[in-house]
Structures are given as C-alpha cells and as structure tokens.
Amino acid sequence: MRVHKLTLTTALVVAAGLSLTACNGDDGTGQGAPPPASTTPSPAGGPDAAGPDQGDGKTPTGRPPTDQGTTGGNSTGGGGTGEEAGAGRCRTGDLEITATDNTIEGDPDGTVVVQLKNSGGRDCVVSGYAGVDLRTDAGSLSAKRTGAQTTPITLKSGKSTAFGITYPVNRTGGSGVRVTGLLVTPPNETKTVALAWPGAATLPVTEGPGSPVKVGLVGSAGQGG
C-alpha cells in the first residue's frame, strides 16, 4: 500500500507541472523570453529596404540629396542688377561719354547719339536706360523712355555702346526753347555727366503734357530706338 500511494503522488506532481507549463505559453517558451526572429523580408521600397547609409542616393525622407557643390541663380539676372560673374556694373567713372548729332535730312525729328565707352580697364555690364535731361532757358527737360525691353550688355574694356535721343525740330519760325546743355546719368548710377548739346539750338514750344524728348535703350544706337 505504501508503494501504491507514492506512485499516485508522483503522478499528481508531474500533472501539476505540465499544467503550469501550459499556462506560461503554448509554444514552450517561458514568460518574458524574446519572440523568435522574423524571417519574412520587408516589402520592396519599404522603410527597411535601404537606409540613408546604404548608397541608395536618398535622404532619410526619401527626397534627393542636396547638391552642395552648386548654387542657384542666373548669371545675368533679368530681375537683378544684370551683373555677370566677374563683371560688375558699369560705373560713371568707368565710362567715357560723348554726344554727337545724328540727324538725317528729311527725318521729322532730330537725333543725338550718346556713346558710352568702357575706359575703366575691366569688363562691365550696362543695362537699361540712361537718365537724360536737357538744360534749356526755360528749365530742365527730362527725356521720356521709349519703353523697349531691357537687355543686359557686357561691355568689354575699350569697347563702346550707344543710345539715341530724339527731339522735335523747331520749324515754327519762332524763337522756341533754347537748349543750353545735356545731362547724362548712366543706367543704375547717380553720378551725372554734363555735356555740350550737339543738336538743334532750339525746340518748339509745346503746351501738351509729357516730354517731347525721347531716350532709347542703351545698345539701341541710331535713331533713338
């Protein structure tokens, strides 16, 4: 009888141990043990497909990497000063400015051509309209722009560009308005050069609004265009 009881007791202990093991996990692992490593590969293009240090050419956000070897912007900048790399703006002191009469017989208007020669010893960029004022015995008369589109011009050292001034010729027979001088301010500059006026001595007296004198775009040498 003692041997039979001992065998029954042993069986109960073994059964209790099996029940405790089942409560701790059916897969045979103990509580708190790490789960088996997954062998399923990540989907193609997923976050684990390639990191930023694996040579996929992407940043961690998936955007193309920034090219730090280049800079943006245009060399002549239509919306800027029009300066090119290595060539600054043409300064008044760098320019030799002269004015000559270029009126063609038979034209309804008179024409004066103003030449800008780069004498500064370096290339420079000029763009836009020069400021033009006629000195008269009735006061200063500012020329009006023709409205042509601005185009930057690289003026090599020793080279020239020009623009035209057109004005009405006095054919009234009266004394008109006497012109006594010409003031020219290069584009984007504030320093003005005073020149002798080479055109007709007088302008007709006008009573309408606006200036009868027109100034052309730099680079449009000729009949004020």
Side-chain angles (χ1 to χ4, degrees):
M1 290 299 289
R2 180 174 300 176
V3 173
H4 179 72
K5 288 181 178 180
L6 180 60
T7 302
L8 181 59
T9 301
T10 301
L12 290 176
V13 171
V14 173
L18 291 175
S19 176
L20 180 61
T21 300
C23 291
N24 288 336
D26 294 336
D27 59 355
T29 60
Q31 185 175 5
S38 172
T39 59
T40 304
S42 299
D48 297 328
D53 59 344
Q54 295 181 5
D56 64 342
K58 295 181 178 180
T59 61
T61 60
R63 293 189 297 272
T66 301
D67 184 359
Q68 298 182 6
T70 61
T71 57
N74 299 324
S75 61
T76 57
T81 63
E83 295 182 13
E84 296 180 353
R89 184 172 72 247
C90 293
R91 304 286 185 176
T92 303
D94 298 330
L95 299 172
E96 181 182 335
I97 304 176
T98 57
T100 57
D101 180 29
N102 198 41
T103 302
I104 297 175
E105 187 177 355
D107 282 356
D109 295 322
T111 302
V112 167
V113 169
V114 177
Q115 180 176 275
L116 309 175
K117 181 179 180 180
N118 181 3
S119 58
R122 62 176 180 85
D123 295 354
C124 63
V125 176
V126 61
S127 176
Y129 289 87
V132 171
D133 294 278
L134 271 61
R135 286 176 170 171
T136 75
D137 57 1
S140 179
L141 179 62
S142 297
K144 183 179 179 181
R145 297 177 178 182
T146 59
Q149 185 175 2
T150 299
T151 303
I153 299 172
T154 299
L155 197 58
K156 300 292 185 179
S157 178
K159 298 300 181 179
S160 302
T161 187
F163 63 89
I165 303 170
T166 58
Y167 61 94
V169 177
N170 182 18
R171 295 187 175 94
T172 63
S175 59
V177 177
R178 187 168 190 82
V179 182
T180 60
L182 172 65
L183 301 177
V184 175
T185 307
N188 304 306
E189 284 291 284
T190 57
K191 185 177 179 181
T192 299
V193 174
L195 303 172
W197 172 249
T202 62
L203 305 177
V205 177
T206 58
E207 296 180 358
S211 173
V213 181
K214 303 290 190 296
V215 55
L217 187 68
V218 170
S220 61
Q223 304 299 307

